[in-house]
Amino acid sequence: MLPVHLQNVSKVYTSRRGPVLAVDDITLDIASGELFFLLGPSGCGKTTLLRMLAGFIDPSQGQIFFGPKDVTHLAPERRDAAMVFQNYALWPHMTVFKNVAYGLEVRRVDAAQRRQRVGELLETVRIADRATAKPMELSGGQQQRVALARALAVRPSCLLLDEPLSNLDASLRAAMRWEIRRIVKQAGTTAVYVTHDQAEALAIADRIALMREGKLVQMGSGRELYESPNSRFVAEFLGEANFIAGQVVAEQSGVLKVQTAVGALLARKGLASPSTGQSVTCCIRPEGVRLLSSPGQAEARVQAKLTEWTHLGESARFKVTLSGGIELAGAAMPARATAAVGQELPIYLSAADVTILPQ
């Protein structure tokens, strides 16, 4: 496994309407052995970036390094990377064993070593009992495991995954996320994973690079991006969020007092460093909208009206309306209704759960 470094990488396509900037001056470092996600909406440039890492297309500018080696213009077969495609791309006429062994045969690995390596990988991906089956005899999840095993068979320095779970149903996707992480970590390879699925990235990524319109907008762990977004786009893309505009009126011990249309709120700075008098946006995740006070915490008490309550088993979702018609979505756990819809009640917003975004 090797670290991966991209330095000022851009890709420009030509069209009848003029140049199209698909990837815009991306610089990032991916650590050796890291499961690194490229996340963003359709058309943000994440797949183009992955294809440049694979060597399928050349960057218009910039450099790509696998370890100390500049692979910017090397052919795919010369850069020690393996790709897992969205549609798996298995050979339909070959057995599972032969699909996994294919790359080793091309590299002329002797038969005994091939058998040992393929056997180990089929055990790793938990499909050894289907070694003689053809791809069409397998479920989607099993085909995905075969595609992973085939990519890992050649011991690549970098494993590239292009939305590998998009063809699976929701329940199988959730299970396969953790299987992919287990397999990649067990193999010890550096992996770059492209997806538009926020839950997928938040669940299993070591770090995430969130992209928008070809640019890298924020990078960090899933928790960092979720709890400390640097913009409204990041906050909205990574889960549900409530937003209240206000103005900073004071600061004490790292806690900001923000005057808003619903009264004074207490907030943490997040990645912003606003000064007194500055206009800001308060970002509050649903789980930060609480129906019970937390003694000892710096928090604001705001009067509200409960307008919706949805029981979801172990949890509940609700909505409250504040003065001025401002509506907040909340989450409660455990799902015990403490009030009836239509009731006036206070909600509590802790400073730790209110993040300041720059306007």
Side-chain angles (χ1 to χ4, degrees), residues 94-101 118 122 127 130-135 138 146:
M94 293 183 182
T95 64
V96 165
F97 187 97
K98 286 187 174 294
N99 263 283
V100 177
V118 173
L122 292 182
I127 200 169
R130 304 308 306 274
T132 59
K134 299 285 183 66
L138 306 178
V146 176

Side-chain angles (χ1 to χ4, degrees), residues 10-13 18-25 43-44 60 213-215:
S10 296
K11 181 62 182 179
V12 179
Y13 291 106
V20 176
L21 186 58
V23 173
D24 187 2
D25 195 27
C44 72
S60 302
E213 296 178 349
K215 292 182 179 292

Side-chain angles (χ1 to χ4, degrees), residues 54 205 217 248 260 264 267 291:
V217 294
V248 178
T260 74
L291 301 175

Side-chain angles (χ1 to χ4, degrees), residues 2 23 47 53 60 69 80 105 156 169-170 183 201 214 219 223 225 252 273 278 288 300 309 350 352:
L2 290 172
V23 173
T47 298
L53 285 170
S60 302
K69 186 177 182 180
D80 196 20
E105 291 179 4
D169 61 57
I183 292 163
M219 183 165 62
R223 182 172 183 174
L225 268 62
Q252 184 175 4
S273 296
Q278 184 174 339
W309 183 277
S350 168

